[in-house]
Amino acid sequence: MAGSLGKNKGFVNLNILQAFGAANDNLFKQIIMLGVATGGIWSLELGKGGQATISLLFSLPFILFGGFAGQFSDKYSKRNVVIFVKMWEVMLAAVCIVALASGNFRLSLFCVIMLGVQSTLFSPVKLGIIPELVEYKQITNANGTLGMVSNIAIILGTAIAGVFSDQYKPAFLGNDLLSSEVSGEEKLAIEQGIEQVAEGTWLYIPGITILILAVIGLYCAFQLPKLPAKNPDLKLSFSFRGFFGVYVEQFMANLGKPLLAVTGAFSAFFIIAGIALLNISEYAQYLHVSDTLASAQGAFLSVAIGIGGVFVGLKSRESVRPRFVLVGGIGMVVGFTILGFLPRNYWLVVTVLSMSGFFAGLYMIPLQSLLQILTTDENRGRFIGLSSMLTMVGFVCGNYLFKFGSNNFGEHAAPRTYLLCAAVAAIMLIPLSMRWVPWFQRTIDEMAVQELENQDKSQNEGMATQHAGDESF
């Protein structure tokens, strides 16, 4: 294993394929979300707050198949699972081209669901493979680096989606792909301010871009080092137990242990993410800006989360520092509360949103690292499957909190909805400060002492063996 992360070929290729996969997910999903947002080309298909439905369709596979997917990560070589997932992504990209080029909303929804299934299979492998590629002391730094690279990819995917949407919409309308059921004032509202074009190139460019990124990701998957299966004797269960029994099994096995508290805190973060990421698209109308600028908010948020993650990795050095979780939680409470009362100024919103994102990175990365070091090689995939399911439950809850805010907070719903993010962060600070963070730190300290004792024992056994050999000679 290379001493430096930058020289670790496996880790570098993991970053590239993860980045391109994240870019693809966000590029396609954001185009569809902008389409169903107020004034979008599909805004009448799902009604107000339709972004929540899109997010639910993407998240549902995590809830249904997360535990089942974790079995594959434990039973088979994680490299082989990554290759399979990336092959799936290439084939799915071809379907995305057809969906967008034809303007078929239902086929686009199918692609969103299949992207969710593909991401569900990849999630346990993505997090579980890191301890197999890097040394123990590099895990926090590796998570910070992977988080930063992933967030840069999300930035590009989200930002490019805004640009593509601004070009796709005129081509969509110019080629008369708008549903025949849309007419009158509704049609005029969608077409308002759009200079339609009959040339159809932009109907294909988004899908072709997704395909290119998927092919590069598949190439990087083949560059990963060959890794042995960690639990080859595990019997796959295709029954109800295989899909949902894994959750119960892992929950009961870790009851009363800090690992479940880590998962709870990590899942709560995704309630906040579920609110914030959907709320961003509402600012296009609230601030009267283009889809490109509205999506760019997500780019600023993502890079700020990535910077926060790298900051934690550098400050943590060769250990995990749970105290950063508390600092991150406090920062999110302050940042999202301020966002709830800001005036209609785009750059002011972006600045405070980025500050909130930085603290989100401080909160998230230590928890992600704890998930990896507190699980074992034999069950890491299945437990991360449980964790993925819980994070998506949190994300879906956040989606519906967003929908509640957008439907009930009136003309200032966009900023006021961020107060729900602040409320969730404030509630989580109670168990984190009173019980969980000290518990996490004690567990890490005990593991460090145990590791030193094991090292001393190994050295003593080695010296005894050498001494016995000398006497024999």
Side-chain angles (χ1 to χ4, degrees):
M1 213 176 288
S4 168
L5 291 178
K7 296 178 181 178
N8 187 323
K9 182 181 176 182
F11 182 70
V12 170
N13 279 286
L14 175 66
N15 274 269
I16 296 172
L17 66 88
Q18 155 63 12
F20 285 3
N24 268 348
D25 287 349
N26 284 275
L27 198 163
F28 187 82
K29 191 169 61 170
Q30 184 70 1
I31 288 175
I32 306 304
M33 282 191 175
L34 289 168
V36 301
T38 306
I41 52 179
W42 294 306
S43 54
L44 301 180
E45 296 282 352
L46 301 176
K48 188 171 179 59
Q51 302 98 309
T53 302
I54 300 298
S55 185
L56 174 63
L57 292 175
F58 181 80
S59 305
L60 202 56
F62 285 86
I63 299 171
L64 297 176
F65 308 127
F68 181 73
Q71 296 180 89
F72 289 94
S73 180
D74 287 336
K75 181 175 178 61
Y76 300 110
S77 163
K78 292 180 176 60
R79 176 182 183 269
N80 294 343
V81 177
V82 172
I83 291 172
F84 171 79
V85 168
K86 288 298 165 180
M87 285 180 173
W88 178 314
E89 186 177 342
V90 170
M91 292 185 290
L92 184 55
V95 183
C96 291
I97 294 175
V98 176
L100 292 175
S102 63
N104 189 316
F105 181 65
R106 285 170 178 76
L107 185 57
S108 297
L109 292 184
F110 171 79
C111 290
V112 169
I113 295 170
M114 289 298 102
L115 281 170
V117 173
Q118 181 248 342
S119 296
T120 301
L121 291 171
F122 184 57
S123 183
V125 186
K126 174 185 69 176
L127 296 179
I129 200 173
I130 288 179
E132 297 183 34
L133 294 177
V134 307
E135 298 172 8
Y136 174 85
K137 64 183 181 181
Q138 296 176 312
I139 286 178
T140 298
N141 199 14
N143 277 299
T145 302
L146 185 64
M148 178 63 178
V149 171
S150 298
N151 281 302
I152 291 173
I154 292 170
I155 291 166
L156 294 175
T158 306
I160 292 172
V163 175
F164 281 5
S165 179
D166 281 335
Q167 301 299 321
Y168 179 78
K169 188 174 181 179
F172 182 96
L173 296 173
N175 283 270
D176 200 26
L177 297 178
L178 194 65
S179 172
S180 58
E181 297 177 4
V182 180
S183 59
E185 293 183 3
E186 297 168 342
K187 184 176 182 181
L188 290 174
I190 293 172
E191 294 177 343
Q192 184 178 7
I194 303 297
E195 186 176 340
Q196 300 180 28
V197 295
E199 213 280 315
T201 303
W202 275 100
L203 296 176
Y204 293 91
I205 289 178
I208 291 172
T209 302
I210 291 170
L211 178 61
I212 292 171
L213 294 180
V215 170
I216 296 173
L218 177 59
Y219 171 79
C220 291
F222 279 104
Q223 305 309 305
L224 292 173
K226 293 184 178 181
L227 300 168
K230 291 298 181 181
N231 195 353
D233 296 328
L234 177 68
K235 291 184 178 180
L236 296 179
S237 175
F238 295 88
S239 64
F240 181 86
R241 177 187 174 279
F243 285 87
F244 300 102
V246 172
Y247 299 148
V248 177
E249 174 189 298
Q250 292 299 313
F251 182 87
M252 296 305 296
N254 291 281
L255 198 61
K257 299 178 182 178
L259 192 54
L260 277 184
V262 171
T263 305
F266 193 61
S267 303
F269 170 78
F270 280 83
I271 300 176
I272 298 171
I275 300 168
L277 292 178
L278 296 193
N279 199 43
I280 283 169
S281 59
E282 288 298 300
Y283 270 83
Q285 185 181 47
Y286 183 74
L287 296 177
H288 305 293
V289 296
S290 66
D291 286 349
T292 300
L293 286 177
S295 294
Q297 294 176 89
F300 284 106
L301 176 63
S302 297
V303 74
I305 292 174
I307 291 172
V310 170
F311 178 83
V312 169
L314 293 174
K315 288 294 183 181
S316 297
R317 300 183 186 276
E318 296 182 357
S319 184
V320 181
R321 309 290 182 190
R323 69 175 182 273
F324 281 115
V325 178
L326 281 178
V327 176
I330 294 168
M332 286 193 291
V333 171
V334 174
F336 285 117
T337 300
I338 295 172
L339 275 169
F341 298 100
L342 285 180
R344 299 189 192 215
N345 182 297
Y346 178 80
W347 291 109
L348 195 57
V349 170
V350 164
T351 300
V352 180
L353 187 62
S354 299
M355 180 191 79
S356 303
F358 174 81
F359 285 105
L362 266 59
Y363 179 96
M364 182 176 65
I365 294 300
L367 293 172
Q368 188 170 300
S369 299
L370 283 167
L371 278 174
Q372 292 162 344
I373 67 173
L374 295 180
T375 51
T376 64
D377 287 342
E378 289 74 22
N379 83 323
R380 184 170 291 120
R382 281 165 292 163
F383 189 86
I384 291 177
L386 168 65
S387 179
S388 297
M389 181 274 290
L390 292 174
T391 58
M392 282 303 146
V393 169
F395 194 76
V396 170
C397 289
N399 294 164
Y400 282 91
L401 283 174
F402 154 76
K403 192 166 186 175
F404 170 82
S406 64
N407 288 327
N408 293 281
F409 290 166
E411 64 174 307
H412 296 293
R416 296 293 188 270
T417 298
Y418 280 127
L419 295 177
L420 298 175
C421 295
V424 174
I427 291 170
M428 284 310 302
L429 282 174
I430 298 172
L432 283 167
S433 60
M434 296 182 66
R435 164 104 172 131
W436 290 355
V437 168
W439 193 15
F440 301 159
Q441 188 60 60
R442 285 197 305 272
T443 303
I444 292 169
D445 292 342
E446 289 168 2
M447 291 177 66
V449 170
Q450 185 64 47
E451 184 180 4
L452 287 174
E453 290 177 352
N454 290 339
Q455 288 176 355
D456 290 342
K457 184 178 179 180
S458 297
Q459 289 176 355
N460 291 335
E461 289 176 350
M463 291 175 64
T465 301
Q466 182 179 3
H467 182 66
D470 290 343
E471 288 185 344
S472 174
F473 177 77

